[in-house]
Amino acid sequence: MNTLKRILSTLTAVLALFPLSVVPVQAEDTIKIGALLAETGPASFLGAPEAKTLRMLVEDLNAKGGINGRPVELIIKDTGASPEKAVSFAKQLIDEEKVFAIIGPSTSGETMQIKNIAEEGKTLLLSCAAAEVIVNPVAKYVFKVAPSDRFAAEMIFHQMKKMGITKVGVLSSNTGFGKAGKEQLEKFAGDHGIQIAVNEVYDKAATDLTAEVTKLKAANVQALINWSIEPAQAIVIKNARQIGMTVPIFQSHGFANIQYARTAGAAAEGVLFPASRLVVADALDDKHPQKQVVMDYKKAYESRFKEDVSTFGGHGYDAFMILVRALKEGGRDREKVRTSIESMKGFVGTAGTFTFSPADHNGLDISAFAMLTVKDGKFVPVDK
Amino acid sequence: MIELFFQYLVAGLTYGTIYAIVGIGFNIIYNTTGIINFAQGEFVMLGGMTAVSLHALLPLPLAIAGAVLVTMVIGGLIEMTFIRWLVKPSVLRMIIITIGISILVREAALHIWGEGVRSLPYFTGNEVTAINLGGVRISPQVLWALGIAAVIVIALNLFFKFTMLGREMRACASNRDAASLCGIPTRNMVTLSFVVSAGIGALAGCVVSPITQTQYGIGTGLAIKGFTVAILGGLGNSMAAVAAGFILGILESFSIWVMPTAYKDAISIAILLAMLFVRPSGLFGSREAARLKEF
């Protein structure tokens, strides 16, 4: 009996301590933010740096006291780039977790699948994917922070015009990103006087593309454009050079991860691609408005994770920071936060300077892109 | 035109070599246990990944040898942990176990190496090197893969036909009880088959790594094509797997010449299905023998 009493009293004592120590931290007043990211799978190049970035930012933010004193709770769901998983996780985040906003998905295909779900659930969605169709037509609750593939396509065509290229071959992977990019290329090639002579789609898990590039070589194209986010984009350039194609190779902004240039090695030299200035942060002029932001993020990320920054992690950064700024202004009212994003002007992020409007839920224009190339295994801006 | 024909042929050879060298690995475990090891692709991935990691410290040949050894040990351990202690497992049960193993290995690799893509350096030259044969260009790595595939096939054939150990392994597949009655330690044979096929998978993974690149999840994709050619050729026959690999690779490559690229995989799956309907024993397999097999 005595023992029981002692145990009970100890228990009460322990329990009495708990409300003091635990509850204030576990305040009901946390802001729940969901994230749907392709941390693993074929698009892990996008999702993994995005997830790392978000974890880092949330940790730092909470250490500094959160947003107006409210800590942020981050719930990351790994979609593995599967649209089906994105759909079920989106429903879970909205219906069960009742998150305030969702960051992601990483890929365009997934985003298009859940665009309506977010809209119906009146949950803010800040997609990290590129396709123009995500914000065109505009959905009230859907935003995106990655510059549109349309601008990337136009950047490429501008560069081609300078180089006097008129006949090109296009390769793209069978993903949402590849498909959307291919459509943009087809749509705007004519405007720039460029003819697409060969237009082929390959499997996202392709392990060799020699026959595909042979088809382009046979058509005597003046340049090759590859549009994909998968490791296959490194294989394309290796195979093209191996079979003796010497024409310029253009990649989409999906190439802006130095790992691709490394795996492609010597074949990557001279590859041209549009990308945000984050990947050439060091080479950026000190007076450039983005210099401070991109350098800060680059340093924080690289010292923490011991790997190079990529534009994709940058999208995670932009999405989170835009949301944080809107939350500071709008408080807990979702409608106010939404309007706050919609009316945000001149927000300097890693991808560019965002100026949103009710008609523009992306907020970026073609100036978000710079034309880059690979020189001695490094990304450098193209000189004029 | 003729040059183009040969360039497509070379592309087909490249595809075929990748499929074949992965496909060979399926046959060894099949030859001893009568099951398809669905974790074979993961052995290929493990070989490539381990070699890339070891290459940071060791020269390339040693890194590859090390990777093959490490993967063989892993293959053996996997068999001893998951399969060895099973009493008379049914074929279906063992197949499902191998599927489980493949998921386990893949996830473990994701934790160890992360999601990044790596690759071994080209054995000869670099990413842009190609041997020019009258206008037709082929990467030396494809020749390396071809050569190594040939060596593996010859060695396996000699091993299974002419060594006691090889014959004992085959006896296990034909009839495990009878083999056991003859004094063959059937369990050791099964372990050995996992060790050997893990080693072959790892070697394949190293050779194709410069071409296909290596990532934690690459095993599944490679295994599907490897499996296709193993079936196409006739299970259990390494030479047939290689021949089937080339047939499939060349068909795929020429399909790209005349049709949109997007149909490439549809073609290989269509061939596989047609084969399973018309000649389930494979192109080079014997119908008689196939009828006696459990699976």
Side-chain angles (χ1 to χ4, degrees):
Chain A
M1 200 62 201
N2 244 343
T3 347
L4 192 65
K5 247 186 200 164
R6 208 176 302 149
I7 291 174
L8 275 177
S9 60
T10 323
L11 265 180
T12 358
V14 171
L15 283 176
L17 283 173
F18 261 89
L20 291 174
S21 56
V22 177
V23 170
V25 182
Q26 254 242 338
E28 281 169 21
D29 208 21
T30 54
I31 305 170
K32 265 195 189 179
I33 296 175
L36 297 169
L37 302 171
E39 244 188 306
T40 59
S44 55
F45 266 107
L46 313 167
E50 287 162 0
K52 284 177 186 164
T53 302
L54 288 186
R55 288 199 185 97
M56 173 178 88
L57 293 175
V58 168
E59 210 173 284
D60 292 351
L61 183 73
N62 286 341
K64 284 182 200 145
I67 301 170
N68 300 338
R70 299 162 70 200
V72 168
E73 185 192 345
L74 178 70
I75 306 165
I76 297 183
K77 299 280 182 193
D78 177 12
T79 63
S82 138
E84 295 79 20
K85 278 192 191 167
V87 167
S88 64
F89 282 141
K91 287 182 179 154
Q92 201 183 335
L93 287 175
I94 294 171
D95 298 335
E96 290 169 29
E97 301 281 0
K98 306 211 184 302
V99 296
F100 191 87
I102 296 175
I103 292 175
S106 312
T107 67
S108 302
E110 294 169 275
T111 309
M112 289 314 290
Q113 290 293 318
I114 67 162
K115 190 174 170 183
N116 282 333
I117 299 174
E119 194 67 3
E120 280 161 20
K122 295 196 189 325
T123 303
L124 286 169
L125 186 74
L126 287 103
S127 171
C128 296
E132 171 89 10
V133 283
I134 296 169
V135 290
N136 185 14
V138 167
K140 205 173 160 203
Y141 288 91
V142 181
F143 295 84
K144 95 183 162 88
V145 294
S148 281
D149 39 13
R150 191 185 86 202
F151 302 133
E154 292 202 47
M155 272 307 273
I156 290 175
F157 291 141
H158 285 313
Q159 183 68 26
M160 286 185 164
K161 222 182 247 174
K162 278 186 214 159
M163 296 165 74
I165 292 164
T166 53
K167 186 180 170 193
V168 301
V170 173
L171 289 175
S172 53
S173 73
N174 62 347
T175 57
F177 182 82
K179 196 167 158 270
K182 176 172 167 266
E183 280 165 13
Q184 297 298 330
L185 289 172
E186 286 164 353
K187 207 158 138 192
F188 293 103
D191 297 351
H192 296 268
I194 284 163
Q195 179 214 347
I196 299 177
V198 188
N199 196 349
E200 291 286 343
V201 178
Y202 57 82
D203 185 68
K204 57 180 183 288
T207 48
D208 189 273
L209 294 158
T210 309
E212 283 83 348
V213 288
T214 302
K215 199 164 184 173
L216 263 66
K217 193 186 177 198
N220 277 319
V221 293
Q222 292 168 294
L224 184 171
I225 307 177
N226 175 66
W227 207 283
S228 61
I229 37 169
E230 293 77 22
Q233 55 181 329
I235 299 175
V236 169
I237 46 186
K238 283 194 278 187
N239 291 156
R241 295 304 184 216
Q242 279 161 2
I243 64 157
M245 273 184 97
T246 49
V247 297
I249 297 178
F250 289 82
Q251 294 267 12
S252 72
H253 44 312
F255 192 69
N257 185 323
I258 195 76
Q259 286 194 54
Y260 289 127
R262 278 196 201 126
T263 35
E269 290 297 301
V271 166
L272 293 152
F273 65 102
S276 74
R277 294 177 174 79
L278 173 62
V279 288
V280 288
D282 294 320
L284 218 54
D285 190 81
D286 281 341
K287 275 178 241 135
H288 196 279
Q290 280 179 267
K291 179 81 178 183
Q292 184 72 33
V293 172
V294 293
M295 282 311 287
D296 286 353
Y297 168 60
K298 184 182 158 79
K299 274 183 205 147
Y301 186 93
E302 290 182 351
S303 65
R304 179 100 154 225
F305 300 111
K306 309 280 174 265
E307 63 179 33
D308 295 309
V309 274
S310 67
T311 52
F312 314 112
H315 297 328
Y317 177 90
D318 293 346
F320 188 74
M321 292 320 239
I322 288 170
L323 188 60
V324 167
R325 180 153 147 187
L327 277 163
K328 277 182 182 154
E329 287 171 11
R332 36 196 100 205
D333 185 338
R334 195 174 280 170
E335 198 48 42
K336 273 191 195 150
V337 173
R338 198 197 71 80
T339 342
S340 164
I341 299 182
E342 210 166 58
S343 57
M344 203 177 280
K345 294 206 176 0
F347 177 90
V348 182
T350 64
T353 305
F354 291 84
T355 297
F356 293 96
S357 74
D360 181 4
H361 275 197
N362 181 203
L364 294 169
D365 59 18
I366 197 163
S367 71
F369 283 116
M371 205 66 190
L372 307 183
T373 185
V374 183
K375 202 177 167 196
D376 302 325
K378 288 200 174 64
F379 289 156
V380 292
V382 175
D383 329 299
K384 292 298 146 233
Chain B
M1 194 65 180
I2 191 82
E3 196 183 299
L4 199 58
F5 174 85
F6 280 107
Q7 191 64 62
Y8 277 111
L9 193 66
V10 163
L13 278 181
T14 312
Y15 298 152
T17 312
I18 299 170
Y19 302 161
I21 201 165
V22 177
I24 297 168
F26 280 95
N27 292 319
I28 300 133
I29 292 180
Y30 180 81
N31 268 346
T32 347
T33 61
I35 65 161
I36 300 287
N37 170 27
F38 281 96
Q40 187 61 34
E42 272 56 46
F43 290 150
V44 177
M45 177 272 292
L46 275 180
M49 286 301 232
T50 316
V52 173
S53 292
L54 290 177
H55 186 46
L57 312 163
L58 300 169
L60 191 61
L62 283 180
I64 292 173
V68 171
L69 279 176
V70 168
T71 314
M72 283 169 97
V73 170
I74 295 174
L77 286 177
I78 283 176
E79 197 277 338
M80 282 188 244
T81 321
F82 296 101
I83 293 173
R84 195 179 174 89
W85 54 273
L86 298 176
V87 183
K88 293 217 172 201
S90 68
V91 166
L92 187 63
R93 188 168 163 206
M94 283 175 53
I95 289 175
I96 290 173
I97 289 174
T98 65
I99 293 176
I101 294 170
S102 88
I103 297 171
L104 196 71
V105 174
R106 200 157 57 234
E107 292 301 314
L110 176 63
H111 276 277
I112 298 169
W113 287 289
E115 79 300 331
V117 171
R118 295 131 204 266
S119 69
L120 282 177
Y122 280 70
F123 294 3
T124 313
N126 64 13
E127 292 81 3
V128 294
T129 314
I131 297 164
N132 196 337
L133 305 163
V136 180
R137 295 163 62 99
I138 183 165
S139 167
Q141 193 63 29
V142 176
L143 301 180
W144 271 106
L146 269 173
I148 290 176
V151 171
I152 296 175
V153 169
I154 293 168
L156 280 179
N157 264 316
L158 294 177
F159 174 72
F160 278 119
K161 290 215 172 96
F162 299 109
T163 67
M164 200 57 192
L165 204 56
R167 287 179 183 164
E168 286 178 358
M169 283 172 82
R170 274 166 55 211
C172 289
S174 306
N175 192 324
R176 215 162 156 171
D177 292 334
S180 192
L181 285 174
C182 294
I184 298 171
T186 50
R187 292 197 170 176
N188 290 353
M189 291 301 136
V190 175
T191 311
L192 187 65
S193 74
F194 269 80
V195 171
V196 173
S197 73
I200 289 174
L203 188 57
C206 295
V207 180
V208 301
S209 168
I211 305 174
T212 64
Q213 306 172 166
T214 316
Q215 197 186 12
Y216 78 95
I218 197 168
T220 322
L222 289 174
I224 289 175
K225 285 294 167 71
F227 174 62
T228 307
V229 302
I231 296 261
L232 209 56
L235 276 169
N237 184 342
S238 302
M239 197 88 92
V242 173
F246 289 137
I247 292 172
L248 187 69
I250 290 167
L251 276 175
E252 282 190 1
S253 169
F254 280 104
S255 82
I256 289 173
W257 194 0
V258 289
M259 275 191 278
T261 316
Y263 292 117
K264 183 176 111 177
D265 287 318
I267 284 167
S268 55
I269 297 295
I271 293 171
L272 177 66
L273 284 178
M275 198 62 183
L276 287 172
F277 284 130
V278 181
R279 228 189 122 91
S281 51
L283 280 176
F284 310 100
S286 135
R287 285 179 194 220
E288 286 295 305
R291 216 177 300 150
L292 294 170
K293 292 258 167 77
E294 226 186 308
F295 174 73

